[in-house]
Amino acid sequence: MPSARVAVIGAGVSGLTLAALLAQRGHRVTVYERDRPGGKLRRETSGDLTFDTGPSLFTFPEVWRRVLARLGEKSDPLDLYPLPGGLGVHHTPHGPVPLPVPAGHALHAEWERYAAEVRPLRPHVLTLLTTPPSLTHPAFLRASAALLRVTGPHLTAGGWLRARIFPPALHHALAVHALNAGQGPDEGSVLYALLPALMADDVFRPWRGMGAVLDALLGYCAARGVQLRSGEPVTSLHALPDHDLTVSAVDPARVTALRGLPVPRGPLSVSGLALYAPLPDALHGRLPATSVVTPDDYPAFAAAMRARALPPSTLALVHADPQSGTGRAGRLALLLTVPPTGRDLPVTHPWVQSQLRRVAAALGTDPVTLLPAPGPLISLGPQHYAQGGAPGGAIYGTALPAWRSGPLHPQPYRLTSTLWQVGTGVHPGGGLPAVLGSALIVDTLLRTHGH
Ligand SMILES: Cc1cc2nc3c(=O)[nH]c(=O)nc-3n(C[C@H](O)[C@H](O)[C@H](O)COP(=O)(O)OP(=O)(O)OC[C@H]3O[C@@H](n4cnc5c(N)ncnc54)[C@H](O)[C@@H]3O)c2cc1C
């Protein structure tokens, strides 16, 4: 197979993974990055504390191991450890629900009924995440059939959950996972109702923090001769004439603009306000690794997001990382879901303050204990996420109709004969497993196209 000159646009997790995979097969790869590498996963330092911003939960580690296998890497530098409490305690208007629900809990039997229904899909998840969708691929067909047996006729997460008649607290806690696609349960794909059962026992974090993923990918790229051109935004595809192939690892709206095409204005998924602070001494040992405070009312939440207005109550994720054993200070990450307005919200904004009071109350504390003066050291909002990402800072890009999610309705990996696409653009809402999976899929497809 002749060596091609490949330009990758974007040095997020998906762009760096694909760059390493292509370089491993002998291609000459240059990655263009408008800023510094990492994309949504990056290291930010404030004073003597370093925070890994963006993803906090590393799920479906088999996808990562498949990347390592394809790179011929014998050892895994991530040192993944299982996060205590899995997906965390979900604070719903009907009471707190830990997911997975442990034995002895009043909701355990109902959780088991739910998990048993989804369990037959587990052996197929790796196939669905890493195989190019094809109606002639036996493993893909088997996995898709298994998926359809579990989803039945339902398209949305909300529809599937309502048909099961779970107790309100469990229903509410499971429904919040539709927001992994950046939409409410009645808009988000049915796949997201199944996620808690598929990943609750498989939630990890690298021992040295999520930044270890970035370090590993940068190391793999450097070892294979990938040229990384940080601080070099691509402003037009015509500006990349010296390459045989181009792969976009940026949001589809961005690559549409780079192609000189009009960018359609569609509904957008949610954005976020991410606040990072030292873990207060008073909360050491008092907070679970992950707490999820759900919106009280999903329809009201979804309507506000569609109108790009602030919802009465929002989804908040709180990650408490005591860093025990590492000798480093503990860290707190507090993520509030906000509309994709492209405008930042100061922590002093009355709506932010009201949500912080709500979160603190759910966690059994008060806002001053949760975020003592001087407040968060780092604050990233829609304006930040819009700079290198989707319009409005929508974390998961355009909000797609439920039927367009999942393996049976693939997004376009191949835009033209010389332009391909990886990352959130092809697996909206999927997080790290899906963007890593998209790099494996595009690597496979490029090989079958003779590259
Ligand atoms: C707050 C938050 C929490 C999250 N939590 C989780 C979690 O717990 N678990 C999980 O699995 N996932 C999580 N995610 C999602 C996960 O971080 C993303 O799915 C993943 O990082 C996306 O990677 P990507 O490579 O597709 O895109 P990006 O990270 O968006 O990378 C795109 C890159 O392209 C660059 N770029 C853009 N335009 C240009 C241009 N014209 N020229 C050159 N470069 C350009 C950008 O600067 C950026 O570096 C979270 C995301 C956020 C924001």
Side-chain angles (χ1 to χ4, degrees):
M1 204 172 283
S3 155
R5 293 162 306 171
V6 186
V8 175
I9 311 173
V13 170
S14 63
L16 292 173
T17 306
L18 185 72
L21 291 169
L22 294 180
Q24 172 75 11
R25 294 200 287 105
H27 294 306
R28 285 166 290 155
V29 186
T30 307
V31 182
Y32 296 88
E33 168 54 52
R34 55 172 279 282
D35 190 6
R36 56 193 159 97
K40 295 190 178 77
L41 192 180
R42 52 197 277 168
R43 287 228 169 89
E44 300 282 354
T45 299
S46 177
D48 51 6
L49 276 184
T50 301
F51 296 86
D52 292 332
T53 67
S56 298
L57 309 180
F58 195 99
T59 52
F60 301 116
E62 284 305 316
V63 182
W64 170 253
R65 292 191 192 116
R66 195 158 277 198
V67 171
L68 295 184
R70 213 177 273 188
L71 290 174
E73 293 289 337
K74 298 277 181 282
S75 63
D76 183 349
L78 295 192
D79 280 335
L80 294 173
Y81 70 95
L83 267 193
L87 292 170
V89 179
H90 292 51
H91 296 271
T92 80
H94 314 283
V97 182
L99 293 183
V101 182
H105 191 283
L107 291 170
H108 179 67
E110 287 294 316
W111 162 263
E112 278 297 307
R113 172 164 77 91
Y114 157 74
E117 193 173 348
V118 180
R119 206 165 283 135
L121 189 55
R122 279 191 86 136
H124 301 285
V125 171
L126 187 61
T127 305
L128 291 173
L129 282 166
T130 60
T131 316
S134 157
L135 293 178
T136 57
H137 192 300
F140 181 78
L141 276 183
R142 272 196 303 279
S144 303
L147 176 63
L148 281 176
R149 277 195 296 279
V150 177
T151 62
H154 300 286
L155 286 179
T156 66
W160 189 89
L161 286 170
R162 270 192 297 278
R164 263 90 205 139
I165 319 186
F166 291 123
L170 182 62
H171 180 119
H172 207 90
L174 295 174
V176 83
H177 288 269
L179 278 154
N180 279 310
Q183 303 192 71
D186 284 320
E187 293 82 29
S189 160
V190 57
L191 291 178
Y192 296 96
L194 317 180
L195 278 185
L198 295 173
M199 60 188 193
D201 295 322
D202 261 347
V203 184
F204 297 88
R205 187 172 295 147
W207 184 244
R208 284 176 304 286
M210 292 300 266
V213 178
L214 185 57
D215 293 340
L217 290 173
L218 288 169
Y220 297 148
C221 284
R224 288 159 181 81
V226 171
Q227 299 288 315
L228 176 58
R229 311 257 290 248
S230 299
E232 280 197 39
V234 174
T235 50
S236 155
L237 291 191
H238 303 299
L240 298 171
D242 298 332
H243 300 282
D244 307 309
L245 280 177
T246 301
V247 182
S248 163
V250 302
D251 182 74
R254 286 183 170 262
V255 75
T256 304
L258 294 178
R259 294 167 76 189
L261 302 173
V263 179
R265 270 182 62 86
L268 295 170
S269 61
V270 301
S271 188
L273 175 63
L275 308 174
Y276 299 90
L279 180 64
D281 287 342
L283 296 179
H284 261 268
R286 272 191 55 201
L287 288 185
T290 303
S291 306
V292 180
V293 183
T294 67
D296 289 335
D297 177 339
Y298 289 123
F301 169 85
M305 289 293 159
R306 274 196 302 276
R308 300 189 193 174
L310 296 166
S313 63
T314 200
L315 164 66
L317 303 175
V318 182
H319 298 288
D321 185 357
Q323 308 266 329
S324 14
T326 62
R328 297 192 291 163
R331 290 154 175 76
L332 184 85
L334 202 160
L335 315 174
L336 293 178
T337 307
V338 302
T341 58
R343 288 190 304 277
D344 279 348
L345 281 166
V347 180
T348 49
H349 189 287
W351 180 85
V352 177
Q353 287 294 315
S354 75
Q355 298 303 314
L356 291 178
R357 280 194 295 278
R358 195 175 160 262
V359 172
L363 301 183
T365 181
D366 58 82
V368 178
T369 307
L370 188 63
L371 275 181
L377 298 180
I378 293 164
S379 163
L380 305 174
Q383 196 175 347
H384 165 80
Y385 293 118
Q387 274 164 20
I395 291 177
Y396 309 98
T398 303
L400 294 173
W403 58 269
R404 282 194 61 198
S405 289
L408 303 182
H409 298 281
Q411 309 300 312
Y413 297 104
R414 183 175 185 243
L415 295 168
T416 70
S417 58
T418 56
L419 178 61
W420 292 69
Q421 181 170 230
V422 283
T424 318
V426 275
H427 283 263
L432 297 181
V435 304
L436 292 168
S438 77
L440 287 165
I441 288 174
V442 169
D443 179 50
T444 305
L445 289 174
L446 281 171
R447 204 167 22 190
T448 55
H449 279 76
H451 295 294

